[in-house]
Amino acid sequence: MIIFLDGKFVEEKEANVSVFDHGFLYGDGIFEGIRAYNGRVFKLKEHIDRLYESAQAILLDIGVSRKEMMDIVLETVRKNNLSDAYIRLVVSRGAGDLGLDPRKCPKPSIVCIAGSIKMYPQSMYENGMEIITAATRRNSADALSPRIKSLNYLNNIMAKMEANRAGVMEALLLNQEGYVCEATGDNVFIVKDGVLITPTIYAGILKGVTRDTVLDLARNFGIPCREDLFNLIDVYTADECFLTGTAAELIPITAVDSRIIGDGKPGPVFRKLLAAFQEYARSNGEPL
Ligand code: PXG
């Protein structure tokens, strides 16, 4: 595996960062998870734009242009001879001293890894997945906005551990007011009476690239869509529920906290959007 690290392509065993890197010491940094399908990097511009918005929010000067960053991603995938890939792009504050002051970190570190990821077993994509609601609440947007894709994922990891303990693969997180936010690494959608509903960004969520793609596809089909606040009762009584994410793609949810959703099978709106997404992802994106 060839990895991009601070301006150079290096072998995996040479791809090491400093123990003084503030990404390691404090989680001070940002990242993106991106996919390539069929020789094209899917929604590359959208991911790079979100990375630079995360950087802007944490006052991090990445030091390379968006165009250069897109080329770093494309070149990393090419160097590994991949046509389908899961790409991890990380920008940390860089090496500093043992204090948390970012002014002590003169140069951010940029890492790009192109590999693969498999989130859930294939049978769950076909038959649906059961999830729980985590007791851990999503961290509040005015403490650390979930819109920043930061290297601080402890909130999500704590919820993931609740899912593990419950014997399921995902957990839903609620915000401080009890509104549904998202899963640990995926956005959530419900369908009720033919309307597709997903939490508004003001619920305190990551504005997922897959989420936005699914909303676009649904609007093109003429499916009524709403970005709104909703509660667990709305999930329990929905006709359909599914999660979206770069890693997970689209996965149907057929039970939440032991409540069977709809008829307990992946629903028609989900199946229509999944087929449209797969077709769209295979044929769109930045060619390698
Ligand atoms: N919410 C959160 C908190 C995420 O981390 C999404 C939603 C979906 O966003 P996109 O843009 O991917 O549609 C994410 C992204 C993993 C993993 O291994 C998950 C993500 C990123 C990296 C790794 O579970 N999710």
Side-chain angles (χ1 to χ4, degrees):
M1 187 184 265
I2 305 290
I3 291 163
F4 178 88
L5 171 61
D6 293 333
K8 293 199 281 280
F9 288 97
V10 296
E11 290 287 345
E12 193 175 333
K13 57 179 189 311
E14 285 142 39
N16 303 309
V17 293
S18 167
V19 294
F20 291 97
D21 193 297
H22 281 208
F24 177 70
L25 288 175
Y26 299 112
D28 185 355
I30 52 176
F31 77 104
E32 280 295 321
I34 311 170
R35 262 190 200 263
Y37 295 98
N38 198 28
R40 296 163 181 268
V41 179
F42 187 61
K43 298 280 178 187
L44 179 58
K45 180 177 183 298
E46 285 78 358
H47 283 286
I48 298 300
D49 283 346
R50 188 172 64 185
L51 182 79
Y52 281 76
E53 286 176 10
S54 293
Q56 166 79 1
I58 70 162
L59 216 62
L60 174 68
D61 180 2
I62 296 178
V64 310
S65 70
R66 292 183 193 212
K67 171 75 177 68
E68 286 165 332
M69 194 62 91
M70 303 225 292
D71 288 337
I72 287 169
V73 170
L74 292 165
E75 198 52 31
T76 305
V77 181
R78 284 186 205 117
K79 283 252 188 304
N80 288 280
N81 294 315
L82 298 167
S83 66
D84 290 85
Y86 181 76
I87 303 151
R88 176 59 54 91
L89 184 56
V90 183
V91 185
S92 75
R93 189 76 65 177
D97 65 14
L98 289 177
L100 56 80
D101 190 342
R103 290 176 302 185
K104 300 289 172 59
C105 309
K107 198 172 178 296
S109 245
I110 303 174
V111 173
C112 187
I113 308 167
S116 62
I117 195 170
K118 192 77 209 170
M119 286 282 282
Y120 309 116
Q122 186 56 33
S123 63
M124 290 185 178
Y125 284 93
E126 285 154 20
N127 306 320
M129 182 165 88
E130 175 177 359
I131 61 173
I132 58 148
T133 305
T136 305
R137 295 293 172 106
R138 191 77 175 100
N139 45 223
S140 87
D142 41 28
L144 175 60
S145 174
R147 284 179 67 187
I148 303 169
K149 203 162 166 60
S150 84
L151 296 182
N152 272 274
Y153 257 54
L154 266 180
N155 180 225
N156 314 58
I157 290 163
M158 307 263 268
K160 187 69 147 188
M161 289 191 289
E162 290 190 56
N164 293 347
R165 272 207 316 267
V168 296
M169 296 197 73
E170 259 304 339
L172 275 182
L173 289 106
L174 311 179
N175 68 16
Q176 300 295 320
E177 286 76 47
Y179 290 112
V180 174
C181 292
E182 57 187 337
T184 68
D186 310 311
N187 292 112
V188 61
F189 285 79
I190 57 174
V191 179
K192 183 70 174 180
D193 299 329
V195 182
L196 184 66
I197 312 165
T198 196
T200 152
I201 52 171
Y202 304 110
I205 61 163
L206 184 77
K207 193 174 184 296
V209 170
T210 320
R211 167 193 184 274
D212 290 352
T213 304
V214 166
L215 284 172
D216 285 345
L217 292 169
R219 288 186 180 118
N220 285 342
F221 278 130
I223 299 169
C225 299
R226 252 171 51 210
E227 296 172 61
D228 206 346
L229 295 169
F230 59 86
N231 296 115
L232 265 182
I233 179 82
D234 300 300
V235 179
Y236 294 160
T237 58
D239 301 322
E240 298 184 32
C241 178
F242 61 92
L243 305 181
T244 67
T246 298
E249 303 176 303
L250 277 67
I251 180 146
I253 301 304
T254 45
V256 180
D257 300 331
S258 300
R259 278 76 164 183
I260 304 294
I261 307 302
D263 64 1
K265 295 199 206 64
V269 176
F270 169 80
R271 284 188 276 111
K272 187 169 180 170
L273 290 171
L274 174 64
F277 179 84
Q278 286 172 335
E279 168 62 28
Y280 182 79
R282 277 190 62 76
S283 45
N284 287 273
E286 198 61 33
L288 285 166

